[in-house]
Amino acid sequence: MKGSRSEISPARPEHLIWISREVNITLSASLRHARPRIHSRIFPRIRFAPLNPLRQWLNNIQIQSPEAARKICQTIPSHCPFERTIRFLGYTILYIPPLCKLNPLYPELVALRFRALCYLADECGEDVSLYC
């Protein structure tokens, strides 16, 4: 009877899994001897990422002048401008959540704004509370 419990070898350290409650479980024979995915070695996975050049460009922008840093801080808002709460007679009728996180370049833009704020605070010694 192939794959039965009686044929599984005793637990060895390389066949143990650690779980948060510190219980060791041995891998089943089918998991230990699973076939590797051959097609992934023959045909490498091609990723379609058309925004990667733009992401890299935004990440590589070096802030070297206070004017450019101020312009970046004024252009990129500190909070989402699309977030709205529509009220009528003190009751919330409609709430529009922040939509900026749907932007695929949101992390890069926030990082660029942060770098500009850090430049103004560290290099120029300006008070950045005006831009928050």
Side-chain angles (χ1 to χ4, degrees):
M1 200 164 126
K2 192 170 186 176
S4 67
R5 287 186 171 262
S6 62
E7 292 183 18
I8 296 176
S9 63
R12 292 182 291 194
E14 65 267 8
H15 297 292
L16 297 178
I17 299 174
W18 183 80
I19 298 178
S20 63
R21 292 187 179 169
E22 297 184 12
V23 176
N24 291 324
I25 302 172
T26 59
L27 294 174
S28 67
S30 62
L31 288 176
R32 266 188 274 146
H33 303 293
R35 286 190 297 163
R37 292 179 14 178
I38 296 171
H39 70 277
S40 65
R41 281 184 264 151
I42 297 172
F43 303 107
R45 181 174 283 172
I46 298 172
R47 292 184 47 188
F48 181 69
L51 295 177
N52 272 353
L54 189 55
R55 283 189 178 119
Q56 291 174 354
W57 178 73
L58 284 171
N59 286 331
N60 291 330
I61 291 177
Q62 298 295 322
I63 300 163
Q64 299 173 348
S65 69
E67 294 81 21
R70 284 188 207 102
K71 189 67 174 173
I72 288 170
C73 291
Q74 292 170 353
T75 306
I76 302 172
S78 62
H79 62 280
C80 186
F82 303 111
E83 182 180 17
R84 297 276 187 264
T85 302
I86 300 172
R87 296 177 185 220
F88 182 70
L89 298 175
Y91 295 101
T92 301
I93 296 175
L94 181 65
Y95 173 71
I96 302 171
L99 301 174
C100 292
K101 292 186 180 179
L102 297 177
N103 181 356
L105 299 174
Y106 178 75
E108 286 78 14
L109 291 172
V110 170
L112 177 63
R113 185 177 196 282
F114 181 71
R115 287 196 310 267
L117 285 172
C118 289
Y119 178 82
L120 287 173
D122 296 340
E123 303 294 325
C124 302
E126 289 187 23
D127 181 22
V128 294
S129 63
L130 303 170
Y131 302 109
C132 295

